[in-house]
Amino acid sequence: MNKKIHMYILSDSAGETASKLAQATMAQYDQSDLEIQLIKRTFIYEKSDLLDALKEAKELEAIVLQTLISEELVKISNEYCQKHNLFTIDALSPLVNEVNRRTDIEPSRVPGALHFLNENYFERINAMEFAVKYDDGKDPRGFLEADILLLGVSRTSKTPLSLFLANKNLKVANLPLIPEAHIPPQIWEVDPKKIVGLTNDPKILNAIREERMRSYGLRPNTAYSDIEKIREELKFADDLYKKIGCLIINVAQKSIEETASIILSELGLEDHSYFR
């Protein structure tokens, strides 16, 4: 029989920070052995709302994850959890307080400050629109405006990577590589340090493409998923990457996050991870 745990997320904003922490924890457990139920109580500004949520958590003997910035609400929550023997993690205020202690600069303590519609927010929206506009080589002119140009054969995660990196305020364009297709001349005008060549292992790509065909209700064994054709495509891409002199990443067995992290590190763009 599965064991069950409740996690209560208490936040004065959307609760995304605590949710990511909870999800990272959940990923460490086999869902057939353990059921973890997330319950979010967000946009908490009043003491009464906080106490109502804490009472619910107490009834379920839940784990409490909180990202509250109000000193009063943090104090109430911590004292309540201590009194009622509820395990709690205050994911925000200890770090905010430590920065305050080291710098003597008072934090704003504004709820949801990370999500304010500031310049950073609008830059991110522009980056997302850029990624959509210049996805799949729709307009090669965008290559010259891009912070990053992703190249790769079909099913090497170009589009998901473009959107993930756009969420870090980076303008990303991508181009699918097909041996029979014309290579846009704009590629040779882009700084090779901004280009990333994505590749994969033939057998893994074969399995991905076969599954893609099944999802469309088609037979899996097609020219698109033929392993010899895949090897030809990958060789064509590899030869192009070497000619360009760009960064090459094999995405086999890598998550989008891991590949993105390599790109940010290798291209010296880690600063774009700040406040994301």
Side-chain angles (χ1 to χ4, degrees):
M1 183 176 178
N2 286 7
K3 294 186 177 180
K4 187 173 184 178
I5 285 179
H6 294 86
M7 287 189 184
Y8 258 71
I9 292 173
L10 310 182
S11 176
D12 50 29
S13 186
E16 294 177 12
T17 302
S19 293
K20 288 179 181 178
L21 178 59
Q23 290 162 4
T25 301
M26 292 165 65
Q28 299 298 318
Y29 292 91
D30 189 328
Q31 299 304 298
S32 64
D33 298 327
L34 175 66
E35 179 185 352
I36 300 178
Q37 183 175 358
L38 290 185
I39 302 167
K40 297 175 71 172
R41 295 291 179 262
T42 55
F43 301 101
I44 295 174
Y45 305 126
E46 303 296 334
K47 175 181 175 181
S48 58
D49 294 332
L50 175 59
L51 289 173
D52 287 345
L54 288 167
K55 287 173 185 175
E56 293 175 10
K58 177 178 176 293
E59 290 175 6
L60 294 171
E61 297 182 351
I63 292 171
V64 176
L65 304 179
Q66 56 172 309
T67 52
L68 301 165
I69 196 61
S70 163
E71 289 182 294
E72 179 188 7
L73 295 184
V74 169
K75 185 173 184 290
I76 290 169
S77 182
N78 287 339
E79 288 179 353
Y80 187 98
C81 290
Q82 184 176 11
K83 179 179 178 181
H84 296 282
N85 200 30
L86 286 175
F87 180 84
T88 183
I89 294 177
D90 181 357
L92 185 58
S93 55
L95 186 55
V96 170
N97 292 339
E98 178 62 14
V99 172
N100 171 220
R101 185 190 70 80
R102 294 189 181 202
T103 64
D104 223 19
I105 299 173
E106 286 295 325
S108 65
R109 299 198 181 277
V110 175
L114 182 60
H115 305 289
F116 274 9
L117 302 185
N118 55 17
E119 182 180 352
N120 180 68
Y121 173 85
F122 290 108
E123 285 179 2
R124 183 176 304 159
I125 295 300
N126 287 336
M128 296 293 284
E129 291 175 346
F130 186 95
V132 172
K133 182 177 181 179
Y134 297 110
D135 184 41
D136 275 342
K138 291 174 185 172
D139 185 351
R141 291 174 297 180
F143 298 172
L144 304 178
E145 300 177 42
D147 297 311
I148 300 173
L149 173 59
L150 300 177
L151 307 179
V153 302
S154 176
R155 314 315 298 168
T156 48
S157 304
K158 297 182 299 299
T159 297
L161 262 173
S162 295
L163 294 172
F164 186 91
L165 291 165
N167 198 43
K168 297 183 181 297
N169 292 27
L170 290 162
K171 294 187 294 183
V172 185
N174 73 73
L175 175 70
L177 298 179
I178 304 169
E180 301 82 12
H182 172 68
I183 297 294
Q186 287 87 351
I187 277 188
W188 308 108
E189 299 177 47
V190 179
D191 183 347
K193 293 179 181 177
K194 292 185 176 182
I195 301 177
V196 178
L198 304 173
T199 188
N200 206 327
D201 294 342
K203 289 183 179 179
I204 292 177
L205 200 51
N206 167 254
I208 292 172
R209 290 187 179 184
E210 285 187 349
E211 185 56 37
R212 181 74 167 177
M213 291 297 97
R214 291 190 188 96
S215 71
Y216 287 144
L218 303 173
R219 60 187 182 87
N221 298 319
T222 64
Y224 175 67
S225 59
D226 179 76
I227 195 160
E228 290 306 320
K229 187 173 184 300
I230 287 173
R231 288 194 175 101
E232 290 176 11
E233 288 182 43
L234 290 172
K235 184 179 186 307
F236 169 79
D238 189 58
D239 289 344
L240 178 63
Y241 301 157
K242 290 176 180 176
K243 189 173 181 179
I244 292 171
C246 64
L247 172 67
I248 302 174
I249 300 176
N250 189 326
V251 300
Q253 309 298 341
K254 286 185 176 66
S255 65
I256 298 297
E257 294 84 354
E258 186 178 359
T259 304
S261 179
I262 293 170
I263 291 172
L264 292 173
S265 176
E266 292 294 326
L267 301 190
L269 296 171
E270 293 96 331
D271 286 348
H272 282 270
S273 298
Y274 177 67
F275 258 21
R276 306 294 189 266

